[in-house]
């Protein structure tokens, strides 16, 4: 299993993330850090931790994440962000989920906000995290992936790599990937698969507003191709059992 971590000017968070990955009970085959035109020590931190560094000069998570997935030749891609802190059994849990279901395309889970006060962290988890999974599930007509805590088969990526909007920095790359996988793909939400993440999204109204603008853009470009009622019709007519 290969872990892909897109990062831009995030050396301090990245160092902690890579340390957590080094402590996994199921060690990764490789860690690929995508240096997204950083001006800080992101690449140096990655190399010092033994990660392979690939570069993506187009600024934006969609381009960086896609570049990382393209660099993986086979097997399973586990994806987290530079501010993710996966627990020691994170990769073991992912491996067991895929081993148990050879037809599974992807798996995802939620997160806890390790740097928010308890009350704010709980509210963020309840309203933001649950809102994302429930709201985007309705929009995608399938389980939506969350980029800080997800994994997919390389074969699934190869099937949609030409469809993702990697050149549009205003889309949420994880939700966009969910749209491209389609309503009939087997995608699982695993309650036991959790990671710690930074709550910096909630540090300012501007930061949170930017996330919502990206969400709107992601819905616009994908619903123009396949609106939700068509996606749900396709899902209900597809005979594939027990999806997500």
């Amino acid at each position: 299993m290969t872990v892909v971590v897109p990062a831009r000017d995030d050396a301090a968070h990245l160092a902690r993330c890579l340390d957590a990955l080094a402590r996994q009970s199921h060690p990764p085959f490789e860690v690929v850090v995508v240096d997204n035109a950083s001006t800080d020590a992101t690449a140096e931190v990655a190399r010092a931790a033994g990660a392979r560094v690939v570069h993506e000069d187009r600024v934006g998570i969609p381009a960086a994440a896609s570049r990382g997935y393209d660099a993986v030749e086979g097997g399973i891609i586990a994806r987290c962000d530079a501010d993710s802190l996966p627990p020691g059994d994170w990769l073991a849990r992912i491996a067991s989920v895929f081993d148990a279901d050879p037809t599974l395309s992807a798996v995802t889970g939620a997160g806890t906000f390790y740097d928010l006060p308890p009350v704010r962290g709980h509210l963020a988890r309840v309203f933001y995290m649950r809102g994302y999974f429930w709201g985007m599930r309705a929009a995608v007509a399938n389980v939506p992936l969350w980029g800080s805590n997800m994994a997919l088969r390389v074969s699934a990526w190869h099937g949609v790599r030409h469809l993702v909007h990697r050149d549009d920095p205003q889309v949420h790359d994880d939700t966009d990937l969910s749209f491209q996988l389609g309503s009939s793909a087997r995608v699982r939400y695993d309650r036991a698969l959790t990671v710690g993440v930074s709550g910096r999204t909630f540090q300012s109204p501007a930061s949170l507003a930017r996330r919502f603008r990206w969400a709107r853009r992601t819905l616009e470009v994908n619903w123009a191709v396949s609106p939700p009622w068509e996606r749900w019709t396709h899902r209900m007519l597809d005979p594939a059992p027990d999806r997500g």
Side-chain angles (χ1 to χ4, degrees):
M1 188 183 313
T2 299
V3 182
V4 169
V5 187
R8 173 174 166 79
D9 293 336
D10 213 3
H13 279 116
L14 179 63
R16 293 190 288 271
C17 176
L18 295 177
D19 181 66
L21 292 174
R23 299 173 184 271
Q24 293 293 302
S25 61
H26 181 102
F29 170 74
E30 185 179 36
V31 176
V32 175
V33 172
V34 185
D35 177 17
N36 191 204
S38 297
T39 58
D40 69 352
T42 289
E44 289 77 6
V45 165
R47 292 191 184 96
R52 174 160 65 105
V53 177
V54 298
H55 297 277
E56 176 52 66
D57 293 333
R58 291 172 296 178
V59 174
I61 301 176
S66 296
R67 176 71 179 88
Y69 304 154
D70 286 342
V72 183
E73 295 184 359
I76 304 296
I77 302 169
R79 153 78 189 279
C80 64
D81 289 323
D83 64 356
S84 298
L85 286 179
D89 65 346
W90 183 60
L91 292 180
R93 179 73 187 177
I94 290 172
S96 68
V97 169
F98 280 103
D99 288 344
D101 187 353
T103 69
L104 192 69
S105 294
V107 64
T108 192
T112 58
F113 297 96
Y114 55 74
D115 55 0
L116 292 180
V119 173
R120 287 181 61 196
H122 176 72
L123 291 174
R125 181 175 173 85
V126 170
F127 292 102
Y128 180 82
M129 193 72 63
R130 291 183 185 177
Y132 172 78
F133 280 109
W134 282 102
M136 286 304 178
R137 181 162 189 158
V140 174
N142 205 341
V143 176
L145 299 172
W146 184 49
S148 295
N149 181 17
M150 55 170 269
L152 73 158
R153 296 188 191 275
V154 170
S155 57
W157 167 246
H158 285 172
V160 300
R161 62 195 293 183
H162 62 293
L163 299 174
V164 297
H165 296 84
R166 65 175 71 201
D167 294 320
D168 188 341
Q170 301 302 314
V171 303
H172 282 299
D173 70 293
D174 44 8
T175 312
D176 184 55
L177 175 57
S178 303
F179 271 109
Q180 311 320 323
L181 288 173
S183 58
S184 61
R186 284 184 53 79
V187 182
R188 177 178 172 182
Y189 175 82
D190 188 340
R191 293 180 181 275
L193 190 68
T194 61
V195 300
V197 291
S198 171
R200 53 187 171 176
T201 294
F202 308 100
Q203 289 180 349
S204 70
S207 177
L208 191 58
R210 182 172 63 250
R211 304 289 295 183
F212 281 103
R213 286 198 304 272
W214 290 355
R216 184 178 63 185
R217 172 64 178 167
T218 307
L219 296 177
E220 287 175 349
V221 298
N222 284 288
W223 281 354
V225 176
S226 179
W229 54 88
E230 289 184 1
R231 302 182 69 86
W232 278 104
T233 299
H234 183 269
R235 181 178 176 90
M236 289 185 291
L237 294 176
D238 192 316
D242 189 29
R243 293 163 302 183

